[in-house]
Amino acid sequence: MNNEEELSDEEIKSFRDRKYSLNGNLEDRIVERLKREELIQKKSTYSRLLMAAAITGVLILAFATGYFYGQIQTEKQHVFDYVMLLHQTKNFDNTGTSDERFQEYADWMHKIKSSGVAITGEKLSDSTQLIAKNVIVGDENSEDNRVSGFFMLQAKSLSDVISIAENSPHVKYGGVVEIRKIVNQ
Amino acid sequence: MTDKEIVDSFLQTRSEKSFRILYRSQTPGLISTAVRLCGGSKFQAEDLIQEMWCIAIRKLDTFQWRSQLRTWLIRILINLAKEQYRENSKWQETENVAVDIHDRTSVEVKLDLEQALITLPLGYRKVIILHDVEGFKHHEIAEMLGISEGTSKSQLFHARKLLRAKLNNTRYEQ
């Protein structure tokens, strides 16, 4: 020991090497107290993530359900702007089977729809009933000019509809597409 | 992870997991200090450490890293020990507090030194713990205890004298 009463290296080492141990559950008790005082989260990160994922999943499901429901509702309530009447004359190319031709028109319509244009359509039967006041004209099945089907679609302008019609199978096979704007009341 | 990374991680999430990481990174090195500040009482040291963490977690977002995290935590421990000392009369320094028998070792010097240390007056005890045991410099001790460097040196001088007197079973008067 020196004049300054300093602790010797051995004494200092003995202090620093001395290890105390406390109650094994001190850590848990402190955690519980911090939770009670809301100084740490009560739920574990995992359970919070799980809850967040569950809530997100429910929201996505709700959105998807609402979205698809809305889509269905939209299609049902859709207001179309134009009609395309498909005229066939005697020059119309009728090669191929009816099913093949129908499928081609259907595929074309679905392609238009997938581009974001609301469109629907139907093939019309070959027989026609013409009704006039006090006159029953009867069946009309002229090959000179008959309407074989129609499409209804939503478009911002006539030029858009013309562009669609020009690329339709009906024009390709020599038919005439009559475009009429629907007057929405 | 560094202490700052551990603290930042805790402050971001305040999760139990991140607290436990923080707790385990600091507490083992503080236990001996807490026990000595409490005059050898492990029971009181546990209370001290619990209170320390409650205060530390409340104030952790204001810690500015001007010192090490451990230094800041020890400062909290010392302030708590001072408060407990003022409130609890059984902390009179003249009483000898028996060291837990399970801590006895075969090294006689160690036991005598430890017992002598924990029976020192709190003011002397703090300075010897901080300087000789923990290795802090006088300017750091002065800042932690709110005293001047001169007072820190003086306290240490007298603390060592008294410690030696206790070891030698002699009287020491300032």
Side-chain angles (χ1 to χ4, degrees), chain A residues 110-121:
Chain A
H110 285 301
K111 186 180 172 185
I112 298 297
K113 188 181 283 188
S114 65
S115 72
V117 176
I119 185 171
T120 187

Side-chain angles (χ1 to χ4, degrees), chain A residues 5-20:
Chain A
E5 306 292 349
E6 279 186 19
L7 297 180
S8 67
D9 289 343
E10 183 192 336
E11 289 170 331
I12 290 176
K13 188 176 184 304
S14 74
F15 273 129
R16 293 180 179 174
D17 288 347
R18 178 64 176 265
K19 299 295 179 193
Y20 285 97

Side-chain angles (χ1 to χ4, degrees), chain B residues 10-13 27-28 40 57 60 67 73 97 101 131 135-136 146 155-158 162 165-166:
Chain B
F10 169 75
L11 288 175
Q12 277 177 11
T13 62
T27 303
I57 294 303
L60 196 56
S67 65
L73 295 174
V97 179
I101 192 163
H131 188 275
F136 289 105
Q155 292 273 52
L156 182 64
F157 174 79
H158 293 295
L162 184 54
K166 281 179 177 285

Side-chain angles (χ1 to χ4, degrees), chain B residues 6-165:
Chain B
I6 292 172
V7 167
D8 287 346
S9 173
F10 169 75
L11 288 175
Q12 277 177 11
T13 62
R14 291 204 173 257
S15 68
E16 176 183 332
K17 181 181 175 183
S18 62
F19 169 73
R20 287 184 185 272
I21 292 172
L22 175 61
Y23 175 93
R24 291 169 191 172
S25 75
Q26 301 297 319
T27 303
L30 297 170
I31 292 175
S32 300
T33 303
V35 172
R36 287 164 180 148
L37 286 172
C38 294
S41 170
K42 287 187 175 181
F43 177 74
Q44 290 172 353
E46 287 183 7
D47 280 351
L48 208 70
I49 288 177
Q50 187 173 153
E51 290 303 319
M52 179 205 78
W53 277 116
C54 287
I55 291 171
I57 294 303
R58 281 195 201 100
K59 296 184 177 181
L60 196 56
D61 55 348
T62 64
F63 180 57
Q64 295 183 354
W65 298 95
R66 292 196 195 119
S67 65
Q68 288 189 14
L69 180 63
R70 174 179 161 73
T71 306
W72 183 64
L73 295 174
I74 288 177
R75 191 171 186 173
I76 297 174
L77 272 180
I78 288 173
N79 288 335
L80 284 169
K82 270 198 300 190
E83 282 177 28
Q84 284 184 340
Y85 176 75
R86 275 195 288 266
E87 289 171 12
N88 193 343
S89 60
K90 68 180 177 180
W91 278 53
Q92 290 301 317
E93 56 270 23
T94 54
E95 289 184 21
N96 285 325
V97 179
V99 175
D100 190 305
I101 192 163
H102 296 295
D103 296 319
R104 284 185 180 276
T105 68
S106 61
V107 180
E108 196 175 49
V109 170
K110 189 185 238 182
L111 185 61
D112 288 343
L113 257 180
E114 191 70 32
Q115 204 161 24
L117 173 67
I118 61 179
T119 60
L120 287 178
L122 184 60
Y124 290 160
R125 203 184 326 146
K126 282 187 293 184
V127 178
I128 277 198
I129 289 171
L130 291 174
H131 188 275
D132 289 346
V133 181
E134 298 291 341
F136 289 105
K137 305 297 181 196
H138 282 294
H139 71 273
E140 294 172 308
I141 295 170
E143 187 179 345
M144 289 165 76
L145 300 184
I147 58 178
S148 67
E149 272 192 59
T151 301
S152 175
K153 290 176 183 175
S154 169
Q155 292 273 52
L156 182 64
F157 174 79
H158 293 295
R160 284 169 172 169
K161 281 278 192 184
L162 184 54
L163 182 69
R164 201 56 68 188

Side-chain angles (χ1 to χ4, degrees), chain A residues 1-124:
Chain A
M1 191 174 63
N2 59 30
N3 291 333
E4 293 182 1
E5 306 292 349
E6 279 186 19
L7 297 180
S8 67
D9 289 343
E10 183 192 336
E11 289 170 331
I12 290 176
K13 188 176 184 304
S14 74
F15 273 129
R16 293 180 179 174
D17 288 347
R18 178 64 176 265
K19 299 295 179 193
Y20 285 97
S21 59
L22 298 179
N23 194 319
N25 70 352
L26 176 60
E27 179 178 331
D28 291 337
R29 282 191 279 126
I30 292 174
V31 166
E32 288 310 308
R33 178 167 169 188
L34 292 176
K35 284 181 182 176
R36 280 198 310 273
E37 298 187 15
E38 298 184 346
L39 294 172
I40 63 175
Q41 297 285 350
K42 287 187 178 176
K43 292 188 188 301
S44 70
T45 302
Y46 176 75
S47 55
R48 283 188 292 116
L49 283 173
L50 202 60
M51 186 177 293
I55 292 172
T56 304
V58 167
L59 287 174
I60 290 173
L61 185 63
F63 175 76
T65 303
Y67 176 78
F68 286 115
Y69 180 74
Q71 285 287 87
I72 293 169
Q73 291 294 85
T74 299
E75 285 185 354
K76 283 181 182 174
Q77 297 168 3
H78 190 78
V79 176
F80 296 103
D81 303 307
Y82 293 91
V83 171
M84 294 194 299
L85 298 170
L86 307 182
H87 292 268
Q88 280 186 208
T89 64
K90 57 185 176 181
N91 296 322
F92 189 77
D93 180 1
N94 268 315
T95 56
T97 66
S98 175
D99 287 343
E100 286 172 352
R101 190 58 64 85
F102 177 85
Q103 192 58 49
E104 186 178 356
Y105 277 62
D107 290 345
W108 173 83
M109 187 184 78
H110 285 301
K111 186 180 172 185
I112 298 297
K113 188 181 283 188
S114 65
S115 72
V117 176
I119 185 171
T120 187
E122 300 290 351
K123 183 181 187 314
L124 297 175

